[in-house]
Every structure is written in structure tokens, then in C-alpha cells.
Amino acid sequence: PRTTLRSTRRQRQMCIRDRASAVHQKHRKKNSRVSHALIIKKEDLREKVRQSKVSTLIVLTVDASGSMGVMNRMEAAKGTVKTLLMDAYQHRDRVALVAFKGKEGHILLPPTSGVELAKKMLVNLPTGGKTALAAGIMKALSLIKNERRKDPTVVPMLVLLSDGRSNISIVEGADPMVEIEKLGTMAQEEGIHSIVIDSEVTRKNKFVGFTFEFAKDIAEFFNAKYFRLDKLSEVTLGNVITMEKNLLVDTLQGKTAL
């Protein structure tokens, strides 16, 4: 019955209040002119603050073009999606996979929390063609926008797995890196947290290994955390993304509680 529930809740609140005031009773009675069994003050009152669970959407955006290291990227993406989904079932989280090759980006896995669905849809991952990096990012941002329209409370996270090279633009004749920089500004304005995983294969000569680190420039466009794929395994990559997601959620819940 509703009356019983209210009584139980009130008794619980009174118990919390009494515990909070107990440590001060000796001092208060000593300095009080009135004799009471219990002296309650305003600061003893407690109110339970409920925190709603935060639902996140991780959009893994992968370079599936024919550039060097493509098979490593795709295998890393597949393993990472499975790692993330193993964690997602415990929370209200979903994972999506966008791949870009040729002239555009493609949604290979729509937002889901199902491991079995991911296994079925990610058996064969198409690769080859030019690197439409800007188009792939735009597809990922469009997916996030659509999901936010359905659920404005969802917290999106964009994870870009690429060597940062782009040889085809969205608008014919435009500079792909200028387009990517604009998309980075857009993502920041939309409050989208981003991570860039650099999959560039280190080129070695007789004296030293060197990299171009185009992906590091893209990380700056998005104000994103930057990691190198060759320093991470499939499992640790998934763990890094999960750790970043948890930090983001904790930050948002901290702001909500204030």
C-alpha cells in the first residue's frame, strides 16, 4: 500500500537524520538551555540524490580503404566491437561500426548492444579503394545526429581508426583535410567526445623508423585523445575506449550532481 511505502521511506529518512546528528549531541546539549532527548539542526537533514544511468553510443569509424595496414585495422575493429559489446550488456550502452572506402562511408553495424548480431554482420568486412576519410566521419556524425533525435539523453563517442591519410574529398576539388578540420569543429560544437587511433604503419630505413602522423593532426582538429594502434592489442584497445567512456560518464554525472 502507498501509505506503508511512505511511512517506510520517512522512517528511513529519520534514521539517516538521527545518525547524522548523533555525533554532535554531547556538544549541543552542553550548550543548550533547553533539555531535549535529541537536538536536530538544519545541517543534519539529508536528501538522497538519485542519479539516472547514462546511455552511451560508441561509433567506431574505420578506414577500410586499400591503404597499407588495412587488414590490421579491420581485424582490430572487429575485435574491439566485440570487446565493447561484452561490456555494453551490463549498461545501457550501444556500439556502431562505420567504415569508409571509395567515395563514401557505410554503416556496417547499426547501433546495437547485441554480441550475436555483431558476429553475424561483421563476418566479412569489405576493403579496398580510395580513402574517403571526410565522408566516413560525416557518415558517423550523421548517425550520431539521428540517434540523438530519437534519444536526446544519449551520450555519443566517436572513435576514429585510421592512418589519417585522405585522398578524396566530399566536395569535388576541395582539400580533404580542410573538410576534416571543419567536421572536427562541428563535432566539438555538438559536444561529441572523440578518440583517434592512429593505424599508420611505421616505415623503416637503414637508420630510423619514421611516421607522418597525419592522424595526430586530425586528433587536434577534434580535440581528441590520441593513441597508436601498434602500441595496442584488440583487448587493450577495447579497454582504452571503455576507460575513456567511463571517464566521460563520470564527468557528466558529476556535473549533473552539482
Side-chain angles (χ1 to χ4, degrees):
R2 190 173 295 176
T3 308
T4 306
L5 287 173
R6 284 178 181 169
S7 300
T8 305
R9 193 179 297 120
R10 184 166 182 176
Q11 287 172 359
R12 193 180 297 123
Q13 289 172 342
M14 289 173 66
C15 184
I16 293 170
R17 179 205 66 190
D18 293 348
R19 283 204 302 267
S21 67
V23 294
H24 304 292
Q25 291 308 305
K26 188 175 181 180
H27 175 74
R28 288 176 185 173
K29 288 178 180 179
K30 184 178 179 181
N31 295 285
S32 177
R33 295 179 181 178
V34 183
S35 177
H36 288 297
L38 199 62
I39 301 173
I40 304 295
K41 293 195 174 184
K42 187 177 181 180
E43 57 265 31
D44 298 329
L45 302 178
R46 298 287 187 273
E47 183 178 354
K48 186 177 180 181
V49 178
R50 289 188 177 181
Q51 285 189 342
S52 58
K53 278 194 171 184
V54 175
S55 173
T56 63
L57 170 64
I58 300 171
V59 181
L60 191 58
T61 309
V62 188
D63 179 359
S65 69
S67 60
M68 192 177 291
V70 62
M71 296 314 297
N72 286 341
R73 284 195 300 271
M74 300 312 285
E75 285 304 311
K78 192 187 294 187
T80 299
V81 166
K82 290 175 183 176
T83 300
L84 293 173
L85 286 173
M86 292 299 290
D87 177 72
Y89 85 94
Q90 301 177 45
H91 308 89
R92 293 174 55 212
D93 300 334
R94 290 176 300 150
V95 180
L97 178 64
V98 172
F100 53 91
K101 68 185 189 69
K103 293 184 177 180
E104 55 190 16
H106 307 270
I107 299 173
L108 300 186
L109 179 69
T112 182
S113 57
V115 179
E116 293 306 316
L117 176 63
K119 284 180 180 178
K120 289 178 184 177
M121 297 192 74
L122 301 181
V123 173
N124 296 310
L125 299 178
T127 59
K130 292 187 176 182
T131 310
L133 181 48
I137 294 171
M138 190 165 74
K139 176 67 77 173
L141 294 179
S142 176
L143 186 153
I144 288 170
K145 187 175 182 179
N146 289 337
E147 291 303 310
R148 273 182 156 176
R149 197 175 289 129
K150 298 174 191 174
D151 179 7
T153 66
V154 72
V155 177
M157 192 163 81
L158 175 67
V159 181
L160 178 64
L161 179 55
S162 171
D163 61 9
R165 294 170 179 269
S166 183
N167 54 22
I168 188 167
S169 57
I170 299 170
V171 178
E172 190 174 349
D175 184 337
M177 290 303 279
V178 172
E179 290 182 334
I180 293 167
E181 186 173 7
K182 289 178 180 177
L183 290 168
T185 301
M186 186 190 304
Q188 289 189 64
E189 289 174 349
E190 292 291 327
I192 297 171
H193 185 73
S194 303
I195 300 173
V196 172
I197 312 295
D198 189 349
S199 63
E200 183 180 8
V201 177
T202 303
R203 300 170 185 270
K204 295 182 179 180
N205 61 23
K206 192 182 295 184
F207 303 103
V208 66
F210 65 93
T211 59
F212 292 103
E213 295 189 336
F214 294 120
K216 189 172 277 189
D217 294 333
I218 294 172
E220 290 180 9
F221 296 158
F222 283 77
N223 191 28
K225 290 284 187 70
Y226 172 85
F227 301 93
R228 284 196 59 85
L229 182 61
D230 57 11
K231 303 286 175 66
L232 301 168
S233 68
E234 289 173 14
V235 175
T236 54
L237 176 55
N239 290 342
V240 163
I241 296 171
T242 300
M243 180 183 71
E244 288 296 320
K245 180 207 72 174
N246 291 340
L247 286 172
L248 175 62
V249 169
D250 289 346
T251 300
L252 291 173
Q253 287 183 329
K255 286 180 180 177
T256 305
L258 293 176

